[in-house]
Amino acid sequence: MDVWALLDTLPVPMVVHELGEAAAVRFVNPSFTRDFGYTLADAPSVAAWAEQAYPDPDYRQEVIARWWAEIAARQATGTVAPPAEYWIRDRAGRPRDVLIGFALQGDLAIVTFQDQTGTRAARAAQEARQHEHERTAFALTENMPAGAYTKVLRPGAPQSEFAFVSKQFLQMLDLSREEALGDPTLIRSRVHPEDRPRWLEINAEAFARRQPFSGEARIVVNGRTRWLRAESVPRELEDGSVIWEGVVVDIDDLKRTKEELATVLEAARAYTWKLDLRTGQAEVDTTWAVSRGYAPDAWGLTVERWFDGVHPDDVAVARAALDAFDRGALDRTTFACRRKVGKDAWIWLQVHAGVSARDATGQPVALSGVSFDITDEMAARAQVLEEQAQLREDLQRAQQRDTVAQVAGGVAHDLNNLIAVVAGTVELLELQAVGQPGPQDGLGRIRRSVGMARDLIAGLGGLVRPDLPRATHDLGRLLHDAVALLGQRRIVQHAVRVDLAERPAPVWANPTEVAQVIINLAVNACDAGTPERPAKVTLASLPAGTTAPARAPDAGGAPPAGADVAVFTVSDTGTGITEEVRARMFRPNFTTKGNAGTGLGLLIVATILRANRAALWVDSASGRGSTMTVAWPAAALAAAPAVTDAAGRGGRAARADSVAPAEPLRGLQVLVVDDLADVAEVLADMLEVAGAVAVAISDPGEAAEALAEAPGVWSVLVTDLHMDGLDGRALARHAVSLSPPVPTVLVTARPDTLGDDPAPEFAAVLSKPVTAARLVRAVREASGRGCIDADD
């Protein structure tokens, strides 16, 4: 077989042409004709073939130049180079991607053609699919609950770098995409200092060995610590780079749950159990059973026997859960109940139960779970609730006391002004009535009445704020306790948070007074936003050594120079405080809340601050929120000089000199309601003579508003029964529903209309006409002061 016959059988498309100037084509094999359509007749020379394969003369000239350059390189080196990429048109005019190789044999050039068109198309389709997959993966990772990331370790690079981070990843670490991709050290800086060495170690080991990475660590973002877990798998690229594709998952809840579970189980305070719903037979953990003194034959027990040991008050809860499983309404649940241990002891169990087996129809047939002994936790919770209830009660009592003190001070001020006018006028008239027995007797009665009025007003001195016991307390604990009293709904709605300094900050204070200040400021901060944009509220204790602002305080009194103080702030993102409001906000009866405010909250704050030689500064900008800064003495301060009156006597002594003998109702504030104004005034006069502060109102609707606005002010409500609009029974129910509730004494001309059933909303029911003694006795008993000896 000659050479041409051999080339004719090869499957590789091939053309042989001369090396002379004409470059005549000597041979075209069948594979070339099959793949590209050209025959020897179509391509008598390289130039003739090129005119058909390359219609564009510029590109044709470029290809011919490359063609002869390749041949020249072969002639010069005598070696065979790898095929080069070319583009041609076949005889049908279709573009084709080919690899053309050149080999020399004597004065002939042997040219091979490899059609890459199909391969290139398949590769392009594959790349398009890959890009689509990448876009889909990107969309998924951007919206998945876990954070996704890709890290790349390039050849020769000293460390890896992030090539991609998802939106959730950035949110977990509170970073922008530019920060995460531009500076990997920022991400490492988020790792808790105690966990950072180990985190860096396992990272370095994974990158050095090109192995999967798996690790857990605490991260600290904006002062908050949470557990995260990262998992990634390496993949090598063609250029030698290694990429790790992974996810970051927030495992804080899981981690804390595992820690608690491990602690509980290690202390042998939990047991596992199984229950067959078909037979009602239960099996309990043998370790627990032995620890509780159960014999082996008692390790399995029936459901009913288990219920025999449940506290009677908790049986309904446990049975409801079991019935729900029987009906298929639950897959899992958790409930707490008390169970007897021994003869008289009870323990609290937290029962976690779930369906562990189903029959062919999907109906639950078995349950399993774990029960934890939470007796200590329940006792601690009860103690915390009791402490919170006591703090809430103390706070309400203090708020009532301070409100009464402010009201009483205002009343005494106004009445003294009026009595001064009356007393002065009487003195002038007495001079004119000398020698006139009738007018002198009348003026004497007025003078004596004025004296009685003075005594009553002096009795208001007993309503001033008492000196409360003070001691050293932790400011951080006081902030947390006060915030807990705001209520969960307010805390969630306004994202209320407490940021504490690293070291505890002591304050010399009464905890109830501090709570009053914090809660009043925090409630105002919560109310500083709008319904569309509720304010966010932050309470923060500042680091030890923080000094108070240098300017004069807006409320209270600046601590003495050099005195140690603890500083805390209450900030909001609300609408800000105008200059007009700022100038009046600590004045009596000023409020921006309309009927929802009393106008006494910030006045009480200012009073408490003055009493404790603490101070408050207001910083606010329109539309940017406000910050209240409070500086509180860290230790007891020397007593401030006493304030004296015009006669040079100390204020407290002066008040003591003017206090009248104790009246039976002294210190009480009574709201009197009767739709006949004269009757209301008469009843009020009777009570005031007995020492009460009584307010008469003839409109029951107005009375309801007064009660709702400041329930802590009123000691007792005295009301008629039959009134237009709102009757006495409805008004009494309204009063008892408030916090704190206001007891009610009913004075009516028609007690028979109440019926035979008792009226629980009334502390006492009196018939008209009522004597002063009976009314005073009923009011005193309703207020909780007990009975007095008095004749009707």
Side-chain angles (χ1 to χ4, degrees):
M1 179 182 294
D2 59 14
V3 174
W4 303 115
L6 176 63
L7 296 178
D8 204 45
T9 62
L10 292 177
V12 178
M14 184 177 299
V15 173
V16 179
H17 69 83
E18 296 176 355
L19 295 177
E21 183 177 349
V25 175
R26 298 277 298 275
F27 174 78
V28 173
N29 74 349
S31 297
F32 183 82
T33 301
R34 182 191 66 238
D35 289 355
F36 301 104
Y38 297 106
T39 65
L40 183 60
D42 298 321
S45 68
V46 172
W49 172 76
E51 288 183 358
Q52 300 176 68
Y54 302 103
D56 182 356
D58 293 335
Y59 185 61
R60 180 169 64 246
Q61 182 177 357
E62 178 184 337
V63 170
I64 292 299
R66 285 182 60 194
W67 189 289
W68 289 109
E70 293 276 3
I71 291 175
R74 303 298 182 275
Q75 289 175 326
T77 63
T79 60
V80 178
E85 293 185 356
Y86 287 79
W87 171 87
I88 69 172
R89 284 187 182 274
D90 63 15
R91 197 169 188 281
R94 294 170 299 190
R96 311 292 285 271
D97 291 310
V98 297
L99 294 176
I100 299 179
F102 298 87
L104 303 181
Q105 183 66 36
D107 59 350
L108 297 177
I110 302 173
V111 186
T112 59
F113 296 79
Q114 301 176 41
D115 189 353
Q116 299 292 304
T117 306
T119 303
R120 296 276 175 84
R123 184 183 302 170
Q126 181 180 3
E127 290 177 353
R129 288 194 297 271
Q130 178 68 22
H131 291 157
E132 181 63 28
H133 292 160
E134 289 176 355
R135 287 193 295 270
T136 302
F138 179 80
L140 290 173
T141 56
E142 281 293 282
N143 296 284
M144 66 190 299
Y149 68 92
T150 300
K151 295 192 77 172
V152 180
L153 182 61
R154 305 188 188 281
Q159 63 179 8
S160 63
E161 61 186 33
F162 283 93
F164 165 76
V165 287
S166 70
K167 178 170 60 178
Q168 186 67 20
F169 181 97
L170 296 172
Q171 291 176 349
M172 285 180 174
L173 298 176
D174 191 28
L175 292 172
S176 68
R177 196 175 301 276
E178 293 73 17
E179 290 173 332
L181 298 180
D183 186 359
T185 61
L186 283 176
I187 297 177
R188 292 196 291 271
S189 69
R190 294 290 196 265
V191 180
H192 193 286
E194 295 179 2
D195 299 343
R196 195 175 300 153
R198 176 57 182 164
W199 183 261
L200 295 177
E201 178 184 342
I202 60 177
N203 265 276
E205 182 178 356
F207 294 139
R209 299 184 178 182
R210 309 297 196 267
Q211 65 185 19
F213 172 82
S214 177
E216 298 175 356
R218 291 168 292 175
I219 63 165
V220 182
V221 177
N222 294 328
R224 187 181 181 191
T225 302
R226 297 189 67 80
W227 278 94
L228 294 185
R229 180 173 185 83
E231 300 275 354
S232 63
V233 178
R235 177 165 59 89
E236 291 195 19
L237 303 181
E238 293 180 356
D239 64 356
S241 300
V242 182
I243 66 172
W244 279 262
E245 296 165 321
V247 295
V248 177
V249 182
D250 188 328
I251 60 168
D252 194 67
D253 292 340
L254 176 63
K255 192 73 174 180
R256 298 185 191 284
T257 300
K258 284 183 176 180
E259 290 174 355
E260 293 172 1
L261 178 60
T263 301
V264 172
L265 293 176
E266 288 172 4
R269 296 175 57 216
Y271 69 92
T272 58
W273 53 267
K274 297 179 181 179
L275 172 62
D276 190 324
L277 293 175
R278 294 166 297 191
T279 64
Q281 192 70 22
E283 297 180 9
V284 298
D285 178 33
T286 56
T287 302
W288 178 85
V290 170
S291 69
R292 291 298 187 269
Y294 288 100
D297 59 355
W299 293 351
L301 67 161
T302 64
V303 173
E304 292 307 317
R305 184 177 172 189
W306 186 86
F307 273 109
D308 288 342
V310 176
H311 194 283
D313 293 344
D314 301 332
V315 169
V317 173
R319 284 199 179 277
L322 183 59
D323 292 343
F325 279 120
D326 278 332
R327 298 193 311 270
L330 285 178
D331 287 329
R332 62 181 62 86
T333 191
T334 301
F335 62 90
C337 66
R338 285 160 291 183
R339 183 163 170 76
K340 180 175 284 189
V341 176
K343 292 184 178 180
D344 301 316
W346 294 90
I347 61 171
W348 274 98
L349 293 179
Q350 187 178 64
V351 181
H352 297 258
V355 175
S356 56
R358 299 178 184 271
D359 61 17
T361 65
Q363 188 68 17
V365 295
L367 305 178
S368 61
V370 59
S371 297
F372 296 94
D373 183 345
I374 59 170
T375 306
D376 293 343
E377 287 84 347
M378 294 299 288
R381 183 184 303 176
Q383 182 178 354
V384 169
L385 292 176
E386 183 178 349
E387 291 175 355
Q388 287 187 346
Q390 183 62 48
L391 180 58
R392 185 177 290 108
E393 182 179 342
D394 292 343
L395 185 63
Q396 290 175 345
R397 187 182 298 113
Q399 199 78 354
Q400 176 183 0
R401 178 198 64 223
D402 289 339
T403 301
V404 170
Q406 298 297 337
V407 172
V411 170
H413 176 270
D414 294 342
L415 289 180
N416 274 325
N417 286 336
L418 296 174
I419 289 175
V421 174
V422 175
T425 303
V426 168
E427 289 181 6
L428 293 175
L429 292 175
E430 283 181 328
L431 293 177
Q432 298 175 16
V434 173
Q436 302 178 45
Q440 282 189 331
D441 291 342
L443 292 172
R445 288 193 295 273
I446 294 175
R447 188 175 61 254
R448 289 190 294 275
S449 296
V450 169
M452 293 175 60
R454 284 190 177 129
D455 290 342
L456 289 176
I457 295 170
L460 294 178
L463 300 177
V464 298
R465 300 182 75 258
D467 288 331
L468 298 176
R470 298 184 177 94
T472 299
H473 296 275
D474 175 23
L475 176 60
R477 172 66 184 275
L478 297 178
L479 286 168
H480 273 298
D481 289 347
V483 167
L485 297 179
L486 292 176
Q488 192 62 28
R489 184 175 64 178
R490 181 180 273 125
I491 291 173
V492 172
Q493 181 180 2
H494 298 282
V496 179
R497 77 171 194 263
V498 179
D499 294 337
L500 300 182
E502 293 184 0
R503 291 187 296 170
V507 290
W508 179 261
N510 177 272
T512 302
E513 289 187 314
V514 178
Q516 284 182 270
V517 171
I518 295 171
I519 289 177
N520 272 297
L521 297 180
V523 169
N524 285 346
C526 291
D527 294 340
T530 63
E532 298 77 18
R533 184 175 172 269
K536 296 182 179 180
V537 177
T538 301
L539 296 88
S541 66
L542 303 188
T546 301
T547 58
R551 69 179 191 271
D554 294 279
D564 290 335
V565 293
V567 181
F568 68 91
T569 59
V570 180
S571 304
D572 65 71
T573 60
T575 57
I577 302 172
T578 65
E579 288 300 322
E580 179 185 1
V581 171
R582 182 169 177 172
R584 303 172 58 195
M585 59 192 294
F586 294 101
R587 295 181 183 178
N589 303 318
F590 176 77
T591 180
T592 60
K593 303 178 184 179
N595 292 334
T598 64
L600 295 175
L602 289 179
L603 181 62
I604 290 173
V605 168
T607 302
I608 293 173
L609 293 175
R610 284 195 301 271
N612 286 271
R613 305 181 74 181
L616 179 147
W617 291 263
V618 180
D619 293 286
S620 183
S622 179
R624 296 170 56 186
S626 304
T627 296
M628 305 291 174
T629 302
V630 177
W632 202 290
L637 300 176
V643 178
T644 61
D645 60 10
R649 298 177 299 172
R652 192 175 300 274
R655 287 193 298 270
D657 293 343
S658 62
V659 173
E663 296 89 354
L665 300 186
R666 180 181 179 184
L668 298 186
Q669 294 76 44
V670 184
L671 182 62
V672 182
V673 186
D674 196 299
D675 54 354
L676 294 177
D678 290 342
V679 174
E681 293 290 350
V682 168
L683 295 178
D685 289 345
M686 291 179 179
L687 296 172
E688 289 194 342
V689 169
V693 174
V695 176
I697 295 179
S698 60
D699 182 355
E702 181 184 347
E705 292 178 1
L707 287 168
E709 183 175 290
V713 169
W714 306 108
S715 306
V716 179
L717 167 68
V718 175
T719 181
D720 189 17
L721 180 59
H722 300 290
M723 297 180 291
D724 292 336
L726 192 68
D727 67 11
R729 189 187 294 269
L731 186 59
R733 289 172 179 167
H734 170 68
V736 79
S737 70
L738 300 174
S739 180
V742 181
T744 303
V745 173
L746 178 67
V747 181
T748 176
R750 295 291 306 276
D752 55 299
T753 59
L754 293 172
D756 297 330
D757 295 331
E761 58 267 33
F762 299 120
V765 177
L766 304 178
S767 300
K768 293 179 180 177
V770 62
T771 64
R774 292 179 61 205
L775 179 61
V776 169
R777 178 184 298 171
V779 168
R780 181 179 176 87
E781 291 178 0
S783 71
R785 291 193 173 181
C787 299
I788 58 174
D789 294 328
D791 296 327
D792 289 342

